[in-house]
Amino acid sequence: MKIIISPAKKMNTDTDSFDISGLPEFLGDTEILKNEIRRLSLSEAKALWKCNDKLALLNYERFQTMDLTRNLTPAIMAYEGLQYQHMAPAVLTREALSYIGDHLCILSGFYGLLKPFDGVTPYRLEMQAKLALRGCKDLYDFWGDRLYKKLRDLHEKTGDSDRVVINLASKEYSRCIERYITCGDRLITVEFGETADKKVKQKGTLAKMARGEMVRFLAENQIGRPEDMREFHQLGFAFSEELSEDERYVFIRKG
């Protein structure tokens, strides 16, 4: 069983909490993207990133001096978003960290697919960014099916014959995997929301928090079967048998 999550925009450098396990799988492709972004002017980079002047200047300077092999932070510690705050890797037990290392994968527009303890450096590049290069119209085209194939390879390396993927990523990122799923895979998309007019309404902030809590729940309880995810009750959520399907697990928070 593998778990996919999105990255976060806000990043930091932490070289002390954990050692890195190695470099990202697609570092050569990351180098290509880095060089492409370096060629942009500040105004072009700002338009690509869709951010304010302060963030644009910060990230523009990051790319100008970026070293992909030195002063690296484990990916699980590098991202600072709500999802990662609620995952709280810094306080997980050794057993829970080992679980995360074996099961969790982070999708990235810049790095492709990351294992939790791959060493990364702060960057800004969302998967949906309109960056055309090398005959590719955007990053979805650039990465193609390679992230899905890498995920499949990780299943094989750990002996996961059933190829279950727990999708805790946003739609912008899960699209990189979903479009290549075959009949040999089982992709279970997890939704966190409230009910309104008999429909599930997801609130972005709460959903991010719940995704992080779910990763922590899976790790702390060493969950090996997707069915056992249904016991998740953090943040007031509860599994909805009525709204869920085989490939869609819905957790509802009572008002």
Side-chain angles (χ1 to χ4, degrees), residues 26-58:
F26 298 102
L27 198 61
D29 297 285
T30 303
E31 187 77 33
I32 292 170
L33 293 170
K34 181 193 77 173
N35 292 334
E36 188 69 22
I37 293 172
R38 272 185 174 174
R39 284 194 279 268
L40 301 176
S41 66
L42 177 57
S43 60
E44 289 171 333
K46 180 186 175 183
L48 177 72
W49 295 326
K50 296 182 179 179
C51 61
N52 59 38
D53 290 343
K54 183 178 178 180
L55 286 174
L57 182 59
L58 169 66

Side-chain angles (χ1 to χ4, degrees), residues 138-237:
D138 55 24
L139 290 175
Y140 294 108
D141 195 17
F142 177 78
W143 290 112
D145 65 353
R146 291 182 295 152
L147 308 189
Y148 162 76
K149 286 182 176 178
K150 178 58 182 176
L151 191 63
R152 187 181 63 193
D153 290 345
L154 291 174
H155 271 121
E156 293 175 357
K157 286 182 180 178
T158 53
D160 296 336
S161 57
D162 52 0
R163 298 216 305 256
V164 174
V165 179
I166 305 301
N167 177 19
L168 291 171
S170 64
K171 291 181 179 179
E172 291 83 3
Y173 284 91
S174 61
R175 175 181 167 188
C176 303
I177 303 298
E178 286 177 317
R179 65 202 314 187
Y180 301 107
I181 289 293
T182 71
C183 59
D185 306 300
R186 183 184 179 195
L187 178 76
I188 302 174
T189 297
V190 183
E191 295 182 13
F192 300 96
E194 300 173 349
T195 52
D197 300 324
K198 297 183 179 181
K199 294 182 179 180
V200 179
K201 300 291 185 180
Q202 289 201 90
K203 296 182 179 179
T205 298
L206 196 57
K208 290 175 182 177
M209 294 164 60
R211 288 166 182 159
E213 292 281 350
M214 176 61 86
V215 173
R216 186 151 60 91
F217 170 81
L218 295 172
E220 289 177 339
N221 293 280
Q222 303 286 297
I223 300 299
R225 302 186 317 136
E227 292 75 19
D228 294 334
M229 295 171 56
R230 300 176 182 183
E231 299 303 316
F232 176 85
H233 291 289
Q234 276 75 346
L235 301 179
F237 284 99

